[in-house]
Amino acid sequence: MRKTYAGLLYFILLSFLLTASLFADSFEIYGLKPAVIIIKDDELATYRTVFDIVKDAGARGMICHPPGLIYGRFSPATTGSDLEGLMVEIIWEGDDFSRGSIDDGAWTIADRLLNGEKYQDLAAPAENAEPFKGIVLRVSDDMREKFSGAPGPRTGSPAEILDRGIDQNSEFMMGNVLINVVIPESNGSIEDWTETEIHNLWADIDLGLSQYINQTHWVELNYIINTDIAYPVPIASEPIMNNMETDYIWINESLEYLYNQGHFDGFGVNEEGNAHLLNNATREKWIDDGFRIDWVFTVFMADASYNGCWLTDEGYTAYAMLGGPYMVVPYPACRFGTGIHFAHVFIHEMSHVFWALDEYVTINPLTGRETGTPCTATSGYLKVANGNSYLSRCGEGLSCIMNNATLSNPLPICYHTMGQVGLRDINDNNAPDLYEIAPVLEVISRPDVLSDTTYSGNHVVSMKATNEAIPNQNPFQSALTRINYAPYIKEGWMQINNSIILPIHPSDGRWDQSTEFITHFIDSGLEPGDNWIYFRVANVAGITAIDSVFVTYIGLKYYTRSLRPRPDHVEIRWSTADEIFGSDFEIYREDVNTGISDRLLIVVDGEGYDSQEGGYNQYSYIDEEIDPGNCYRYHILGRTYQYVAGSEPIEYQHDTGILTTVTPIAVTEGIISPIVPNPMVGSSGKIFFTIKIPGDFDSDLTSRGGSGGRDNLDSGSSADMTFLDIKIYNVKGQRVRHLFSLPLPAGQYKNIEWDGLDDRGAPVSSGVYFMKVKVAGKDQTKKIVVLR
C-alpha cells in the first residue's frame, strides 16, 4: 500500500428515517431567513461587493458560488434597496420562482437549498444495501516532512498565518472555508459529466454543507465553492474504473493539468504535495481578490452515474485524508445515490478532512471480533475523545454522521464530532470552546500625545486589542510545528461619557487579526471638564473587552448661539457648559452696510450668566445701536487662561464663528413695513421690506451647533405655523411675480427683498405695481414704483 491507513472502517449513513425537522433553520432565533441572491453580471468584483454588503448587514451561514450565487440567512430587511445599482435578484424561502428567471444551474441550487425537504428521499439507498465502507488515510511521512510549514509553535488568527503545513489547511471548521472541487473527465468513456449532472452535484454538496451550517449557528461558518477549477478536467482514464491503489495516477494527472493552466506553481511527483500546493495557491488567490479565506481543501469527484460504484469494487464508497489536503467522492455515491444521501457521504468525508474520527464498528470476517476507532482515541485541535464510538458499545450510541445514523430521530453532526472538528460549545453559551478566550484591550502611549489634557477639544487615543489562543493539542500533529489559532478581533465601538455608541475601525481598516491597533482621532464630543472615553472590542466568538481613557478638556464649548433681530435691537444668545474655567466673552459686530468691521461691543463676565438650564450656562446681550434694514455680522470670542506654576498664564481662544442677520424695518401699521427704497431705481435695483407675522414674539427658535451660518429669523414655536404668501401685480391686475409662498413659525419678523424680476426672470418695466401679502388671516396691499 502507498499510504498509511488509520483503519479499514465501516458505517451506515442516514436512511429513510430522516425527517423534515432536519431542515428547520436554526438561524430563525436571530430573525434571519434563508434566501438565495443571484448576481446577474457574473463579475467577481460585483460578487465581492454583494458579499460585503450582506455580511455587514448581519448575514450568517453563507454558501457561495462565485461569481453568480450566494445562499445564506439574511435579515428580511435586506432588500433590493441595500443592493441598489447592482444586478442582483433575491429569492426568499417560500418564494415561487421559475427557471425562466435564472439559469438552470442557479435554479437547481436555489431549489435544493430553499426546498431541501423535497430531496430527503431522492435516490435513497435500498433498504438492505451493503453497509457503507469508508477509509481514512494519513499524509505520508515524507510529505509531512517536506511540507511541514514554518517552525512553531506560532500564534495568530487564520487570516494572519499563511505558511502552513500539508495538514494545517483545515484545522477546525470555523470562518470561511474554500472548497476546490475538481471534476475530472476522460476521453471516450461511458461516464460523461453532463451539465445537468454537474448542477445537481453542486446542489447536493450544498445540501450537506447547509446541514453543517444549520447545526453550528453559534459560530461564523461560510463555505465558498471554487468553480474556477471545477469543470471537466481532461484525464486519460475514468476515475470510477480505478481503485485506491491507482487513484493517485488520475488525481496527479488532474493536478498536472491545473498546474499547466496556471492554478499553482512548483508541480511535483506526489499527488499529496501537489494538492497541498493547489490549496495554498487558491487560498492566496482568493485573499488577493479581497476575500478572507481561513481554510481550504480539495475534493476530487468521480462520475459514477453509469457504473454506480468503483469498477474494482472493494466495497468502499469514498475516502479522505485525515486533516487534508483532499478527499475523493463518487457521484452518485456508491449505493447511496444522490440528494441528501450523497450530501451525508460528502460531509462525512469533509469531517475527516477537519480531523473527525469514525465512530462505527465492523466485524472482522476472520476473527469475528469488532474493530473500529475506540472511545479512547482523540483527534482535532482540542484533542477530543471519540466518546460516541460504537466499538464494544463504549460510546453513547448517538446517531451521528460518523457512525450508523439510523435512529428514528437522527442527528447528523453530534457532540463528539463537533468537538473534533472544533465546533463544540460545551457550556452552551454560543461561544465555541476553541475560541472561548477573551481579548485584552490596552492603551498605547504616544510620544506626540504628552498628557491626558486637551485645550482644543481634540484628542488622539491609541489602543491595542490582542487575543491569545487556546493551545493546539492535535495529537496527530507535531508539537514542533503546531499553530495556535487565536480568534480574530471582529468589531469595536467607542463611547464618550454617556453619549451614543459609535463604531471604530483598526488602523489598517479591516478587522481580521488577533492583534489590532486602533488610532482614534476625537474631534467632537468631549465636554469641558473631566471626560471618560470608553472603548470596547469583540472577537469573532462575541467575547468582549473594555478599557477606558480619562481626558480633561480645558476650554469652552458653545452648545447654542442665536440672533433675535427686532426693529430697534438685536438680542444675541449663547450657551456653554457649566465649566468655563473662568472665561469671559467678547462680542464683536461688523456693519456690512457702513463697512465698519469687527467692533468690540462689550466684554461679558463668564460668571454673569442669565440662568443655568440642563447643566448649561445661558447668556444674552442686547445690541441697541442698530439701524433697521442693516446687515450685521456678530461673533463671540471666549478667552480661557490656563495658569501653569512658575510661568505666565497661557491664553486659549474659542470663537463661535460668524452669525449674520438683517434687522427688520419697523412695522408701524398692519403687517408690512415701509418699502425701502420706493421707488426702485435702475436696472439692478432692489427693494427691501419686513413682514410681521402675527404670533407670540416672546418665543425663540435657537440655532444649535456649527461655527457659521446665517440666522436672520426670530422664530416662534415650530408647531405654531402659518402660511405667508406674497404676490406682485401690475396695474392691469395681472400677476407678474409670485414672490414668496411657504409656511413659517408665527411670532417673527420676516425680511423680504424683490429684485424687480418677473416669474420668467425678466426685468419688469417702469410703472406702478402692487404687492399683496396674506398671512394668518390678515392681508395688506402696498404700492411699489419702478423707475428704469
Side-chain angles (χ1 to χ4, degrees), residues 422-607:
L423 292 171
R424 187 182 66 185
D425 178 17
I426 197 168
N427 57 2
D428 198 29
N429 67 344
N430 284 345
D433 298 348
L434 192 151
Y435 273 173
E436 195 161 354
I437 182 168
V440 175
L441 191 59
E442 57 184 325
V443 180
I444 301 175
S445 297
R446 289 172 52 97
D448 54 336
V449 179
L450 301 180
S451 72
D452 57 1
T453 302
T454 175
Y455 299 96
S456 63
N458 299 334
H459 195 67
V460 178
V461 181
S462 293
M463 309 290 289
K464 178 183 178 182
T466 306
N467 224 123
E468 295 299 325
I470 290 176
N472 189 342
Q473 306 169 64
N474 194 324
F476 294 104
Q477 292 182 341
S478 168
L480 299 177
T481 57
R482 283 178 186 154
I483 301 172
N484 298 322
Y485 282 104
Y488 70 91
I489 310 299
K490 186 179 182 182
E491 51 195 340
W493 305 267
M494 181 206 73
Q495 182 183 28
I496 300 175
N497 300 317
N498 294 316
S499 64
I500 61 173
I501 299 173
L502 299 172
I504 56 175
H505 304 283
S507 299
D508 64 0
R510 185 168 185 173
W511 297 107
D512 61 359
Q513 309 286 307
S514 60
T515 298
E516 295 282 10
F517 293 91
I518 306 152
T519 298
H520 193 77
F521 179 72
I522 298 171
D523 60 359
S524 64
L526 294 179
E527 302 292 330
D530 296 337
N531 296 264
W532 281 103
I533 307 171
Y534 301 96
F535 288 88
R536 180 163 60 100
V537 297
N539 67 18
V540 67
I543 304 174
T544 62
I546 299 175
D547 202 353
S548 58
V549 177
F550 181 79
V551 177
T552 299
Y553 173 20
I554 297 177
L556 282 172
K557 187 173 183 180
Y558 299 100
Y559 293 93
T560 63
R561 79 282 189 284
S562 67
L563 300 179
R564 187 181 187 188
R566 293 292 186 264
D568 57 350
H569 70 266
V570 173
E571 184 178 8
I572 304 127
R573 294 181 177 181
W574 70 100
S575 65
T576 69
D578 175 53
E579 177 59 75
I580 61 172
F581 296 96
S583 300
D584 293 330
F585 302 95
E586 299 174 357
I587 301 178
Y588 292 85
R589 185 191 73 188
E590 175 189 359
D591 188 332
V592 176
N593 295 72
T594 63
I596 300 175
S597 61
D598 232 19
R599 173 191 167 193
L600 176 61
L601 299 180
I602 194 172
V603 178
V604 177
D605 183 357
E607 298 301 322

Side-chain angles (χ1 to χ4, degrees), residues 681-693:
V681 180
S683 59
S684 60
K686 292 183 179 180
I687 61 168
F688 178 80
F689 57 94
T690 299
I691 306 297
K692 184 178 182 181
I693 301 175

Side-chain angles (χ1 to χ4, degrees), residues 118-336:
K118 292 195 309 184
Y119 300 93
Q120 61 180 0
D121 294 324
L122 182 64
E127 185 175 356
N128 298 318
E130 182 180 350
F132 179 89
K133 183 191 296 184
I135 298 177
V136 184
L137 309 176
R138 289 294 314 282
V139 174
S140 56
D141 291 339
D142 59 333
M143 287 297 102
R144 280 204 302 274
E145 182 177 351
K146 182 175 181 179
F147 299 105
S148 61
R154 293 172 286 158
T155 299
S157 70
E160 293 173 78
I161 300 178
L162 300 181
D163 182 8
R164 303 174 183 171
I166 194 169
D167 57 358
Q168 294 179 321
N169 262 325
S170 49
E171 296 267 26
F172 48 86
M173 205 181 302
M174 282 191 285
N176 293 341
V177 180
L178 179 67
I179 304 176
N180 296 323
V181 182
V182 180
I183 299 178
E185 180 74 278
S186 68
N187 293 326
S189 168
I190 57 175
E191 296 283 9
D192 289 321
W193 287 101
T194 66
E195 187 174 16
T196 298
E197 190 176 16
I198 291 174
H199 293 165
N200 287 328
L201 170 65
W202 296 141
D204 288 347
I205 288 175
D206 290 352
L207 272 181
L209 299 179
S210 67
Q211 288 203 351
Y212 246 110
I213 290 174
N214 198 25
Q215 297 203 41
T216 57
H217 61 84
W218 58 88
V219 303
E220 178 187 52
L221 179 57
N222 305 296
Y223 297 100
I224 300 174
I225 310 298
N226 185 4
T227 58
D228 281 353
I229 60 174
Y231 288 98
V233 173
I235 57 173
S237 63
E238 189 63 46
I240 203 66
M241 296 180 182
N242 288 266
N243 60 30
M244 288 184 59
E245 296 302 308
T246 58
D247 280 348
Y248 73 92
I249 299 174
W250 65 264
I251 292 174
N252 221 26
E253 194 177 354
S254 300
L255 290 166
E256 184 174 12
Y257 174 83
L258 297 175
Y259 163 75
N260 291 329
Q261 294 294 308
H263 287 283
F264 66 98
D265 299 321
F267 187 79
V269 296
N270 184 285
E271 85 283 4
E272 299 167 315
N274 289 331
H276 175 60
L277 293 175
L278 173 65
N279 288 340
N280 279 349
T282 51
R283 185 187 72 236
E284 291 172 8
K285 175 187 179 298
W286 283 83
I287 290 173
D288 290 342
D289 285 338
F291 291 87
R292 196 191 85 239
I293 301 297
D294 299 302
W295 313 112
V296 57
F297 69 93
T298 296
V299 54
F300 295 94
M301 301 303 310
D303 189 354
S305 54
Y306 180 83
N307 286 281
C309 201
W310 307 101
L311 188 64
T312 53
D313 186 5
E314 296 181 359
Y316 67 91
T317 298
Y319 59 92
M321 306 195 76
L322 190 66
Y326 71 84
M327 63 190 227
V328 177
V329 183
Y331 186 78
C334 299
R335 297 174 296 279
F336 292 91

Side-chain angles (χ1 to χ4, degrees), residues 721-739:
M721 304 292 286
T722 187
F723 206 87
L724 173 62
D725 186 81
I726 306 172
K727 297 184 179 73
I728 297 174
Y729 298 87
N730 60 21
V731 293
K732 297 179 180 180
Q734 298 169 323
R735 192 187 78 192
V736 297
R737 180 72 177 271
H738 197 166
L739 191 59

